[in-house]
């Protein structure tokens, strides 16, 4: 319903704690914003692995009986919004297999750009796939490896993968965390007493009272086992390409990702946006929730009051029964409602984090005007999104991205705003400080650090313009 890029997965792993399954459940609960379609936890008691997967939210998917079955002192967990592979329980993760190297479960955040190529080669050689997910390819490569130890088989298999992968893996006696050499997606390490914890974002560490230690480095394979911890770096060095969209929109503001506070970066995006795209107005209003930090920065830098002129309903499920009778702006109003006392007669600056197709922004601007705003100035805390992502983020084809096919003034007219201003690429990168060279910005530039598959090139075709 909301017109956004969608993060596809959150991952969590713990080694050496008597309440491994329960803590994984809590970790996934904190990572729920990264995927709401399916959830799964795999545990090991040192001899056998157990697994439970379900469609839906974390809070609705586990009960006492499930936890009783998920015995053991190590666990991995996964929340998923589908990207590669269709949605459904068969594609839910972790995926658990038993092979010559023993049982192994895997949870993946990211997208392999050479998954189809690897899959075709495996199928030609007789592999039978159970899912349409690109993650299963890694397990087939692992199972077929002739390497003498599970660790070597793992390194051999993941060395063939290209693209974005932050992984958690569980064997009967080891927790393994892997991050691709570019470090596209986040993955961080913490400790809870003697236990090791790995997860997508630090907000999951906070909830279980674990201490943040460091990020898993790009290209690192981290292993926690009976002999303690060790790290290996089996990949050749590569240009770092952290997903800048984690800071712009995906990650929770109370998290640190890529070593930086999301709240700090997001607020700084707002400050820079105010400096680059000022507007003569009375009040700054965020589009909640993701626009809030940038709006705080914008209001601070422009010396204007910040007011919550749009209220979000946090309890909207994924499905609701629409009324037969037409209600104006229903689709967006079920999630956001304007506060007339704030908007009436005022010149409003609306701050949001992105415009993807433009359809939701158009409805929001209409709704704010209908609530009495005399002017609506839309400000976006990143540059126009002009190209799709091939690194594990669900984006529409290029033809559906309004920023790819329309000038800023055409977009302004389409959404019905009095003015529209985006943060520049340079402004966005300045907000992450000295590390700007280490970020992926492909969806803003169309320049890709890792080649994407040929069969995806249709994604890059442009389309005819929208009618206003
Ligand atoms: S293309 Fe965009 S969304 Fe995808 S990894 Fe790069 S910055 Fe993130």
């Amino acid at each position: 319903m909301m017109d956004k890029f969608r993060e596809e997965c959150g991952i969590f792993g713990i080694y050496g704690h008597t309440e491994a399954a329960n803590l994984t459940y809590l970790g996934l609960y904190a990572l729920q914003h990264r995927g709401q379609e399916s959830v799964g936890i795999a545990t090991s008691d040192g001899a056998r692995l157990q697994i439970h997967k379900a469609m839906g939210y974390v809070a609705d998917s586990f009960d006492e009986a499930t936890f009783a079955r998920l015995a053991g002192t190590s666990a991995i967990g996964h929340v998923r919004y589908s990207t590669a592979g269709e949605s459904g329980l068969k594609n839910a993760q972790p995926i658990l297999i038993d092979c010559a190297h023993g049982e192994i479960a895997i949870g993946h955040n990211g997208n392999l750009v050479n998954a189809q190529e690897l899959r075709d080669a495996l199928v030609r050689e007789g592999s039978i796939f159970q899912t349409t997910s690109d993650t299963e390819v890694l397990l087939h490569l692992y199972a077929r490896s002739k390497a003498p130890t599970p660790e070597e088989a793992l390194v051999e298999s993941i060395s063939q993968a290209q693209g974005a992968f932050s992984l958690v893996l569980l064997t009967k006696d080891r927790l393994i965390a892997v991050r691709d050499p570019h470090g596209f997606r986040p993955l961080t390490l913490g400790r809870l007493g003697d236990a090791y914890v790995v997860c997508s974002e630090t907000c999951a560490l906070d909830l279980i009272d674990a201490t943040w230690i460091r990020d898993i480095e790009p290209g690192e394979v981290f292993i926690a086992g009976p002999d303690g911890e060790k790290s290996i770096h089996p990949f050749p060095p590569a240009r770092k390409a952290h997903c800048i969209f984690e800071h712009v929109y995906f990650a929770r503001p109370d998290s640190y990702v890529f070593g930086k506070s999301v709240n700090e970066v997001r607020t700084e995006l707002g400050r820079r946006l105010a400096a680059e795209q000022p507007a003569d107005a009375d009040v700054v209003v965020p589009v909640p929730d993701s626009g809030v930090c940038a709006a705080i920065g914008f209001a601070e830098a422009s010396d204007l009051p910040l007011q919550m002129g749009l209220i979000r309903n946090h309890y909207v499920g994924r499905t609701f029964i629409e009324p037969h009778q037409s209600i104006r702006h229903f689709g967006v109003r079920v999630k956001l409602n304007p506060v007339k006392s704030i908007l009436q007669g005022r010149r409003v600056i609306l701050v949001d984090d992105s415009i993807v197709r433009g359809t939701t922004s158009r409805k929001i601007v209409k709704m704010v005007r209908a609530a009495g705003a005399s002017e609506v100035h839309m400000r976006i805390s990143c540059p126009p999104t002009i190209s799709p992502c091939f690194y594990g983020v669900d984006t529409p084809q290029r033809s559906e991205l309004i920023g790819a096919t329309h000038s800023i003034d055409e977009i302004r007219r389409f959404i019905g705003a009095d003015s529209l201003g985006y943060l520049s690429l340079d402004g966005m990168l300045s907000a992450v400080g000295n590390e700007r060279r280490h970020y992926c910005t492909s969806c803003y530039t169309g320049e890709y650090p890792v080649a994407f598959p040929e069969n995806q090139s249709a994604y890059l075709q442009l389309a005819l313009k929208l009618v206003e």
Side-chain angles (χ1 to χ4, degrees), residues 184-185 243-245 389 391 393 440-443:
F184 278 106
R185 313 251 61 93
C243 173
I244 193 99
F245 223 86
C389 175
Y391 309 129
V393 170
C440 172
T441 55
S442 303
C443 47

Side-chain angles (χ1 to χ4, degrees), residues 316-338:
V316 181
R318 280 166 308 147
T319 52
F320 52 83
I321 315 231
E322 291 206 31
H324 294 303
Q325 222 181 352
S326 135
I327 295 177
R328 279 194 314 153
H329 322 305
F330 179 78
V332 74
R333 178 164 285 176
V334 77
K335 221 165 191 183
L336 296 176
N337 203 29

Side-chain angles (χ1 to χ4, degrees), residues 70-91:
L70 292 172
T73 55
S74 53
I76 60 168
H78 190 269
V79 284
R80 179 172 191 265
Y81 170 78
S82 62
T83 44
E86 69 204 33
S87 181
L89 196 54
K90 72 173 178 154
N91 280 323

